[in-house]
Each structure stands twice: as C-alpha cells, then as structure tokens.
Amino acid sequence: MLQIGQRVVFLESCESTNDVAMELARAGCEHGTIVIANAQTRGKGRLGRRWESYEGNVALSIVVRPNLDIKLSQRLVVASAYAAVLALKQTGICASIKWPNDIFVQPEGSKFIAKFGNFRKIGGILLELVGTQDKIDAAVIGIGINLVAPPQKTEDIPQMYFLDELGVTADKEVFVDFLLEALESILPLVENDSDYTKLHHDYISSSMLIGKEVTVDLGDRAVRGIVEDISLDGALGIQHEGKRELVYFGDVYLCKN
Ligand code: BTN
C-alpha cells in the first residue's frame, strides 16, 4: 500500500466525511486520500445511526485500495480500531475496543455503573465499500473520536461520552498524527494471512469483552453468555451453558454482576 495522507481534503464543515470520501473513491482518487472535517452535521454511525461531530472532535475518513477479497473487509475495521487504540495510547490515553468497532475508555476512579460497567464509549469506526462482488475497489474507513464534545444525543445513539468530560485531555493534532502513522503501518497487515493473524491477536488483547458476561442484541433475539474469543473472521465467540455461539453482528452490553 502507498502512503496514508498523501492527499488531505480539509473541510470546515460537511454532512459526513464518509460521504465525501465515498464520492472521491468512486471518482478514482488515490489510495490514502483523507477527508477531515472540523464539524460534521449529518455524520453516520453503525446500524444507520447518526454521528454528528463538533469542532475539536476527530471526524475523518480514509480512502484505501487494499488488495483484499471483499469477504475479508472486516479486517479493515479490526486494523483501524487497533490503530485508534494505539494512537490514543501514544497520546497517553488507555483505551479498549468493544467488538466490533467501538472505542471505549475507562476513566480512573469512575463511579458510574451503567450497561458498559465503568467503560465509556468515546469513538467508533464506520466502514463503507466500493467494489464488485468479490474484490474491493476502494474502502472508506470513517473514524470518529470525541475529544471535546459528544455527538448530538438522539434516541438512536447509545449513551456517548467525550474525553474532556471524563477528565482526560488529548491534543487533536498530536492524536491525528499518531493515528495516521498507526494506520500507515497497520493497514497493510490485512493483506497477508499470517500478518493478519498477529494483528488479530493484538486486537483481541485490546478488547474489553474477553472473559466478560454479555448480552448481544441481535434484533429478533438476544444471546447471553461469556465472551471466549473473537474468531479470525470477526465473530464474537460466546459460551453459554456448555454451548458456543458465534455472533457476527449486533449490539453488545456488559452484564452487571
Ligand atoms: C459508530 O460507532 O457507530 C461509528 C461512528 C463513525 C463516525 C465517523 S466520524 C467520521 C466518519 N464520517 C461519518 O459520517 N461517520 C464516520
């Protein structure tokens, strides 16, 4: 892969950096093109949710053109989530990943008991693809991290936090630099099975769910059990009364003990 950030499109405000990046991707822009906005007014989250972003927060989308079978596209989410956690760590913030794509922090001395224990969601990743049936032509990786302000609270957004209110501060420019560096070194690992196996191992080490009791809302039913692992193809492995279930999508909640 070539360099991440070789072309940067900076916008004061836009509806969604992912939408702008998708347009550029369809028009054939080069791998590594970044769209970054100070404010995002109709940002998109996973499962059709909204993700506004105000000045000071990170809202950026990266166009990549990996040599990757479309069935393995989830690898890009794993790589990006891990890169975000690494960049936060370099900025001095200890963060974890909540499968599949959420970035959480656990503020010291936090007294909240909510559905995520003491963990607070501060960011997430949204992957969109341009491609044919089996080959990715381009992927847009949207990354939102709330440094100073939460996204607008609407009913369909699970409770969201921002670093500032958790008593943690991070310099946006420093964080974005670390993030791009991390993506530059981590994204190419998705193209090779043995590199990806190592990356997947690191992703699991940064997961906040392993060994925890969870409920996964699948829409039509819920699965409850202990998270054993996350499979190489991206499923959450849940153990319940001696039975193992693999879950490929859904909202996960930690059970209170
Ligand atoms: C989620 O947790 O649901 C994913 C949130 C992803 C938000 C980012 S912000 C930058 C990019 N542009 C968008 O419209 N969404 C992503």
Side-chain angles (χ1 to χ4, degrees):
M1 283 191 190
L2 298 169
Q3 251 197 336
I4 298 293
Q6 56 179 322
R7 177 178 171 206
V8 180
V9 176
F10 179 80
L11 302 168
E12 203 36 57
S13 173
C14 68
E15 292 197 340
S16 155
T17 56
N18 261 38
D19 286 352
V20 177
M22 283 294 278
E23 261 177 50
L24 292 172
R26 288 195 191 97
C29 74
E30 53 278 72
H31 166 92
T33 300
I34 290 177
V35 179
I36 184 160
N38 242 344
Q40 190 177 243
T41 54
R42 280 190 75 81
K44 302 184 296 186
R46 213 172 126 250
L47 306 174
R49 294 178 176 134
R50 289 178 63 174
W51 186 286
E52 272 74 13
S53 186
Y54 302 110
E55 184 160 359
N57 285 349
V58 174
L60 63 81
S61 302
I62 305 134
V63 180
V64 291
R65 297 190 183 276
N67 182 14
L68 192 65
D69 189 297
I70 213 154
K71 289 199 280 297
L72 303 178
S73 59
Q74 181 63 16
R75 288 185 178 189
L76 293 166
V77 175
V78 166
S80 310
Y82 183 62
V85 163
L86 215 60
L88 283 163
K89 245 173 223 159
Q90 286 171 303
T91 322
I93 295 153
C94 186
S96 320
I97 301 163
K98 179 164 107 24
W99 176 92
N101 69 329
D102 291 338
I103 309 297
F104 273 62
V105 293
Q106 189 177 25
E108 261 177 54
S110 163
K111 290 198 185 69
F112 292 99
I113 302 291
K115 57 188 169 188
F116 301 122
N118 283 338
F119 290 94
R120 299 284 171 271
K121 176 165 177 173
I122 54 121
I125 286 152
L126 178 69
L127 178 72
E128 294 187 89
L129 301 174
V130 180
T132 56
Q133 270 188 334
D134 40 42
K135 181 92 179 55
I136 296 175
D137 175 29
V140 168
I141 302 165
I143 303 179
I145 306 282
N146 300 327
L147 298 182
V148 297
Q152 197 175 46
K153 290 207 183 343
T154 61
E155 299 229 322
D156 65 344
I157 297 180
Q159 183 106 39
M160 203 60 83
Y161 294 82
F162 55 104
L163 283 177
D164 227 19
E165 76 179 324
L166 301 174
V168 188
T169 45
D171 184 292
K172 180 172 167 176
E173 269 180 42
V174 172
F175 170 70
V176 170
D177 282 350
F178 281 137
L179 178 63
L180 299 186
E181 256 175 53
L183 288 165
E184 173 85 34
S185 60
I186 292 168
L187 281 173
L189 306 180
V190 303
E191 293 179 341
N192 171 288
D193 287 348
S194 89
D195 288 344
Y196 181 71
T197 304
K198 288 186 210 121
L199 167 62
H200 180 259
H201 186 265
D202 291 338
Y203 169 86
I204 288 183
S205 315
S206 298
S207 164
M208 62 181 251
L209 295 181
I210 306 295
K212 299 268 172 27
E213 187 173 15
V214 299
T215 303
V216 190
D217 181 358
L218 302 179
D220 54 346
R221 67 187 178 101
V223 176
R224 187 176 175 139
I226 307 285
V227 176
E228 278 191 328
D229 56 15
I230 298 166
S231 66
L232 257 185
D233 65 350
L236 204 58
I238 297 180
Q239 189 69 238
H240 180 63
E241 291 175 350
K243 259 180 48 198
R244 178 174 160 83
E245 185 151 358
L246 286 175
V247 169
Y248 282 88
F249 70 93
D251 276 331
V252 187
Y253 303 102
L254 287 178
C255 297
K256 289 180 209 160
N257 291 315

Coordinates of all heavy atoms in Angstrom, one line a residue, residues 84 115 123 152 202 216 251:
A84 N -6.5 3.0 16.2 CA -7.1 4.1 17.0 C -6.7 3.9 18.5 O -6.3 4.9 19.2 CB -8.6 4.2 16.9
K115 N -24.6 0.3 31.6 CA -24.6 -1.0 30.9 C -23.2 -1.4 30.3 O -23.0 -2.5 29.9 CB -25.6 -1.0 29.8 CG -25.5 0.1 28.8 CD -26.7 0.1 27.9 CE -26.7 1.3 27.1 NZ -28.0 1.5 26.3
G123 N -15.6 6.7 20.9 CA -15.3 6.8 19.4 C -15.8 5.5 18.7 O -16.2 4.5 19.4
Q152 N -24.4 14.9 19.0 CA -25.8 15.2 19.5 C -26.4 14.0 20.1 O -26.3 12.9 19.5 CB -26.5 15.7 18.2 CG -27.8 16.4 18.5 CD -28.3 16.9 17.2 OE1 -28.5 16.2 16.3 NE2 -28.7 18.1 17.2
D202 N -3.3 -9.0 18.5 CA -3.2 -7.7 19.2 C -4.6 -7.0 19.5 O -4.8 -6.4 20.5 CB -2.3 -6.7 18.4 CG -0.9 -7.2 18.4 OD1 -0.5 -8.0 19.3 OD2 -0.1 -6.8 17.5
V216 N -25.9 -9.9 23.8 CA -25.9 -9.3 22.5 C -27.3 -9.3 21.9 O -28.0 -10.3 21.8 CB -25.0 -10.2 21.5 CG1 -24.7 -9.4 20.2 CG2 -23.7 -10.6 22.1
D251 N -25.6 -5.5 18.9 CA -25.1 -4.5 19.9 C -24.8 -5.4 21.2 O -25.6 -6.1 21.6 CB -26.2 -3.5 20.2 CG -26.2 -2.3 19.3 OD1 -25.1 -2.0 18.8 OD2 -27.2 -1.7 19.0

